Amino acid sequence: MEHEAHEPHHHHTGHGGHEHDARTGHEDRGGHEDGHAGHGGGTASWSMAAKATLHCLTGCAIGEVLGMIIGTALGWGNAPTMILAIVLAFFFGYALTLRGVLAAGLDLRSAVRVALAADTISIIVMEIVDNGVLLLVPGAMDAHLDDALFWGALAFAFAVAFLVTTPVNKWMIGRGKGHAVVHRYHH
């Protein structure tokens, strides 16, 4: 890891005047990260993986909380509320990635493909861990939205999900999958 961090990328120090050209001729500013992601056994930085996970977590959190609020407002039981929360978590998880990729000028069909490729495994892992933790915390599923236990359990569940999903994202980005796909469109 240490060695890779200091390894010069595409620098032609021999030709003074051409160094700048070689750099500007590079795909884009994210080229350094893509360089890592492109190698079969390449590694992604932890900060990159954490950023991708946080991005995904934000979407999941919005969806889950919204699902729980709607489910509670409609007087639904735990199971349908949880299903709605998971569906919305996927929706918002994808939506945040879609927004970024569409902003980069991709058409909707390609953008949807990129979002699905980038987030599916990440969201699945996150939802399994997150809901698994909520099921394990005594009373968490029966706690109400105005209950401190509910928010405490949810925050704890998201923290655990973040810790579990970050290495998954790091591994996927290192293999050129997951959010490495999204990084190609970020300038």
Side-chain angles (χ1 to χ4, degrees), residues 70-153:
I70 294 169
T72 305
L74 297 176
W76 291 2
N78 285 345
T81 301
M82 202 174 205
I83 290 164
L84 177 68
I86 292 169
V87 169
L88 288 176
F90 271 90
F91 174 77
F92 282 101
Y94 288 134
L96 286 187
T97 298
L98 258 181
R99 201 185 66 183
V101 180
L102 284 170
L106 229 66
D107 64 281
L108 187 62
R109 244 176 110 172
S110 308
V112 167
R113 274 211 302 272
V114 168
L116 291 175
D119 286 334
T120 303
I121 292 172
S122 185
I123 297 174
I124 289 171
V125 171
M126 195 167 279
E127 287 305 296
I128 290 170
V129 175
D130 177 42
N131 289 295
V133 171
L134 279 180
L135 288 169
L136 290 173
V137 173
M141 288 307 295
D142 299 313
H144 295 289
L145 293 175
D146 56 357
D147 198 326
L149 172 69
F150 168 79
W151 294 105

Side-chain angles (χ1 to χ4, degrees), residues 2-177:
E2 206 54 49
H3 169 68
E4 251 180 65
H6 297 296
E7 201 180 321
H9 277 275
H10 308 291
H11 277 260
H12 308 288
T13 40
H15 328 284
H18 293 292
E19 187 180 341
H20 185 66
D21 292 347
R23 291 190 60 170
T24 49
H26 214 319
E27 251 182 75
D28 59 38
R29 287 201 298 274
H32 178 73
E33 290 171 332
D34 287 339
H36 274 311
H39 308 299
T43 54
S45 70
W46 279 106
S47 68
M48 207 173 142
K51 225 161 90 179
T53 308
L54 209 59
H55 187 97
C56 182
L57 188 67
T58 306
C60 289
I62 294 168
E64 284 209 26
V65 172
L66 205 60
M68 288 168 191
I69 290 170
I70 294 169
T72 305
L74 297 176
W76 291 2
N78 285 345
T81 301
M82 202 174 205
I83 290 164
L84 177 68
I86 292 169
V87 169
L88 288 176
F90 271 90
F91 174 77
F92 282 101
Y94 288 134
L96 286 187
T97 298
L98 258 181
R99 201 185 66 183
V101 180
L102 284 170
L106 229 66
D107 64 281
L108 187 62
R109 244 176 110 172
S110 308
V112 167
R113 274 211 302 272
V114 168
L116 291 175
D119 286 334
T120 303
I121 292 172
S122 185
I123 297 174
I124 289 171
V125 171
M126 195 167 279
E127 287 305 296
I128 290 170
V129 175
D130 177 42
N131 289 295
V133 171
L134 279 180
L135 288 169
L136 290 173
V137 173
M141 288 307 295
D142 299 313
H144 295 289
L145 293 175
D146 56 357
D147 198 326
L149 172 69
F150 168 79
W151 294 105
L154 191 66
F156 174 67
F158 278 135
V160 174
F162 178 78
L163 291 174
V164 174
T165 313
T166 298
V168 173
N169 272 330
K170 186 177 188 293
W171 179 78
M172 288 198 327
I173 294 167
R175 293 173 61 87
K177 294 181 172 63

